[in-house]
Amino acid sequence: MPPVPRASDVDRDNVLDILRRNSAEGRLSYDTFLHRVELALRARGEGELSELLRDLPSQAQPGPWPVRAIRWWSVFLAGIQQAWRMSRLPRLPLPRDERVYLIGRAPECDFVLWDMTVSWRHAELRPAAGRWMLADLDSKNGTHVNGWRAGAGFTVRAGDYVRFGRARFRVTD
């Protein structure tokens, strides 16, 4: 079992940051993340906050300096690789007009994706008060915006990363 952070290191903001980071890194599902955030906001002491992090990797990773240096270098290189891959994604331009766009594999969709992990009618992009909302249409493999599940609607803007099944795109103007 990984070591639990010391009680003096635990405060609500720190716990929320750790939960957010672990969710973004895929260690926590969206539902687990929401549940733990709710518990963190209700926590009455450091013991309850520490318990929320018990099954997550320790933030302080002790070891001899060569091990720490290699660990740091690995994380650094992984970040560069991810940034390189993300900048080379195909673009999904935001429309200029104010109508609803259907995204999926069906030929009648406005934005047709040929990936087999994309549902026939996967998602829709609709205008909402000067912004664009991306909503999943109960697809099997989900719609994600910047790693977060879109669900009934998620605001998207230029620079965001979206995923329909395994098909990934970068949103542009």
Side-chain angles (χ1 to χ4, degrees):
M1 183 177 304
V4 177
R6 295 189 319 260
S8 62
D9 294 340
V10 177
D11 65 42
R12 186 168 284 122
D13 292 334
N14 187 29
V15 169
L16 293 174
D17 286 341
I18 293 169
L19 291 174
R20 190 177 305 114
R21 190 171 36 254
N22 279 278
S23 176
E25 292 171 358
R27 290 189 190 98
L28 293 174
S29 71
Y30 180 68
D31 292 333
T32 302
F33 169 74
L34 290 179
H35 179 68
R36 289 191 188 189
V37 166
E38 184 177 337
L39 291 175
L41 295 175
R42 291 185 191 171
R44 292 189 176 154
E46 293 174 352
E48 290 179 21
L49 290 171
S50 293
E51 189 62 32
L52 296 174
L53 306 177
R54 182 173 298 283
D55 62 336
L56 299 174
S58 173
Q59 300 304 305
Q61 299 175 345
W65 74 267
V67 172
R68 291 193 315 263
I70 291 170
R71 190 178 296 130
W72 177 85
W73 186 251
S74 296
V75 169
F76 177 73
L77 286 179
I80 289 175
Q81 287 174 338
Q82 181 177 6
W84 176 259
R85 273 187 249 117
M86 294 302 241
S87 68
R88 300 173 60 93
L89 289 175
R91 293 186 175 124
L92 174 66
L94 290 173
R96 300 272 182 216
D97 57 350
E98 296 285 318
R99 70 180 189 90
V100 176
Y101 286 85
L102 187 60
I103 301 167
R105 279 194 352 247
E108 65 269 8
C109 288
D110 300 301
F111 189 60
V112 179
L113 303 174
W114 298 107
D115 190 304
M116 291 304 293
T117 62
V118 175
S119 298
W120 204 243
R121 293 174 41 98
H122 196 97
E124 69 179 14
L125 187 63
R126 61 179 178 259
R131 295 183 287 198
W132 286 96
M133 299 291 288
L134 182 65
D136 186 68
L137 299 176
D138 294 325
S139 64
K140 183 175 181 182
N141 293 314
T143 302
H144 295 79
V145 178
N146 297 328
W148 295 92
R149 195 166 184 94
F154 207 99
T155 302
V156 293
R157 55 189 164 271
D160 287 343
Y161 297 100
V162 295
R163 183 168 52 92
F164 309 100
R166 285 189 309 218
R168 297 171 160 240
F169 297 88
R170 184 167 46 105
V171 178
T172 60
D173 276 333

